[in-house]
C-alpha cells in the first residue's frame, strides 16, 4: 500500500484549492464594482505614497500635475480592465475560471496594462524610448503598484459575498425553524398532505384505514381525510401536545377548552365544536391524568 507523505498531502490540498471555481467576478455588477474600486484605490494609493519616486520622472511636476498624471494612469487601468473583464471574457467565450486560472488571467491583465501605461507615459513624458528594457521596467512597476488595489478590491467583494451568503443562510435557517414548528401530516406513503400550526390542530379521528384531521382555518373548522393511521401521525409529529385518549382519537391537548369528569371517565370538548364530546377511554385515562399531574397547564375541569 502506497504511503502518503506530508508533501503529497499538501500538493493535493493546494491543487484542490487552485481548481476551485473563482466566482467573485462572474456577474457584470461585480465586475463593474471591482473596476471602480481598483480605479479609486489605485489613484489614492499612487497619490498618497508616490511609489518608486514617480514624481522624479516628471520634472517640475506640481501636486496637481501629479494628480492628473496618476488619474491618467488610473483611467488607463480602468479601460484595460473593462476590455479584459467584458470584451476579452466574451471574445474567448469564458464561462468561469478556477483560482489557478485566474492568477494567470491577472498576469495577462498586467501585460496589457503595461502597454497602456507605456502609451500614457510616452505622451506625458516627452516620448521616452519604447524598448523591451523599458517595457520590462514598466511591467515591474505596474504589477507592484497594481497588486494592492487589485487584492483589496477582491477582498472587499469577497467580504460582501460572504456577508450576503451568511444572511441568506440565516434566512434559510429561520424559514426552516418556522417550518419545523409546524406539524407535517403525512399519508401512509410518507407524502406530506397537510402542514398545520399546532394551535390550529383540534384532533385526529381514526376511520378504518383513514384518519380524519379536524383543524381550524380562518376561524372555521375544516376536515381532511388522509389514508394513514393515528400511530403513524403520532410517530411523525414531534409535538408534545398530541395525546391518545381513545382507540379512535388523538387530541391536541392545547386546544381542548374543557374536560368533564363523569362516572365513566373524562369527556373533552372544544369551543369551535360545542356539540362534540370526545371520551377518554379507561385504557388511556391514567396517561391522561398523568399528563395533567406533570404539566402546568390549567385546563378547565368541570365535574358532572
Amino acid at each position: 500500500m502506497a504511503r502518503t507523505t506530508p508533501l503529497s498531502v499538501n500538493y493535493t490540498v493546494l491543487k484542490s484549492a487552485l481548481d476551485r471555481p473563482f466566482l467573485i467576478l462572474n456577474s457584470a455588477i461585480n465586475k463593474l464594482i471591482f473596476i471602480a474600486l481598483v480605479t479609486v484605490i489605485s489613484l489614492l494609493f499612487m497619490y498618497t505614497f508616490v511609489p518608486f519616486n514617480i514624481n522624479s520622472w516628471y520634472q517640475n511636476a506640481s501636486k496637481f500635475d501629479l494628480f492628473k498624471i496618476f488619474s491618467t494612469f488610473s483611467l488607463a487601468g480602468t479601460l484595460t480592465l473593462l476590455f479584459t473583464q467584458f470584451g476579452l471574457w466574451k471574445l474567448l467565450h469564458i464561462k468561469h475560471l478556477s483560482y489557478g486560472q485566474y492568477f494567470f488571467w491577472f498576469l495577462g491583465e498586467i501585460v496589457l496594462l503595461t502597454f497602456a501605461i507605456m502609451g500614457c507615459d510616452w505622451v506625458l513624458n516627452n516620448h521616452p524610448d519604447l524598448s523591451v528594457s523599458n517595457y520590462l521596467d514598466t511591467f515591474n512597476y505596474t504589477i507592484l503598484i497594481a497588486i494592492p488595489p487589485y487584492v483589496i478590491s477582491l477582498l472587499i467583494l469577497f467580504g460582501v459575498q460572504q456577508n450576503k451568503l451568511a444572511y441568506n443562510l440565516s434566512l434559510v435557517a429561520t424559514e426552516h425553524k418556522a417550518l419545523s414548528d409546524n406539524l407535517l401530516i403525512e399519508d401512509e406513503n410518507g407524502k406530506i398532505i397537510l402542514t398545520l400550526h399546532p394551535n390550529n390542530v383540534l384532533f385526529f379521528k381514526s376511520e378504518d384505514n383513514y384518519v380524519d384531521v379536524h383543524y381550524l382555518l380562518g376561524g372555521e373548522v375544516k376536515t381532511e381525510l388522509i389514508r394513514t393511521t393515528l400511530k403513524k401521525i403520532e410517530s411523525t409529529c414531534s409535538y408534545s401536545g398530541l395525546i391518545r385518549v381513545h382507540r379512535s382519537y388523538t387530541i391536541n391537548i392545547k386546544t381542548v377548552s374543557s374536560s368533564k369528569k363523569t362516572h365513566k371517565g373524562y369527556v373533552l370538548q372544544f369551543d369551535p365544536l360545542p356539540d362534540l364530546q370526545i371520551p377518554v377511554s379507561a385504557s388511556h385515562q391514567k396517561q391522561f391524568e398523568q399528563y395533567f399531574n406533570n404539566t402546568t397547564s390549567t385546563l378547565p375541569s368541570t365535574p358532572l
Side-chain angles (χ1 to χ4, degrees), residues 51-70:
F52 311 115
N53 295 318
I54 297 178
N55 56 330
S56 64
W57 301 357
Y58 303 91
Q59 296 180 356
N60 302 319
S62 64
K63 286 190 174 182
F64 182 70
D65 291 331
L66 282 178
F67 182 78
K68 290 192 294 183
I69 292 169
F70 294 149

Side-chain angles (χ1 to χ4, degrees), residues 224-265:
E224 185 78 26
L225 194 63
I226 301 175
R227 188 175 181 86
T228 186
T229 63
L230 290 179
K231 185 176 181 180
K232 179 174 177 62
I233 288 178
E234 292 167 351
S235 64
T236 56
C237 295
S238 56
Y239 175 60
S240 60
L242 293 183
I243 299 176
R244 177 75 72 91
V245 295
H246 191 277
R247 180 174 58 87
S248 300
Y249 290 97
T250 294
I251 56 100
N252 178 10
I253 196 66
K254 302 295 178 64
T255 56
V256 173
S257 57
S258 67
S259 68
K260 295 180 181 180
K261 185 72 164 63
T262 70
H263 63 281
K264 293 182 178 180

Side-chain angles (χ1 to χ4, degrees), residues 114 141 166 231 272 281:
T114 302
Y141 295 141
K231 185 176 181 180
S281 65

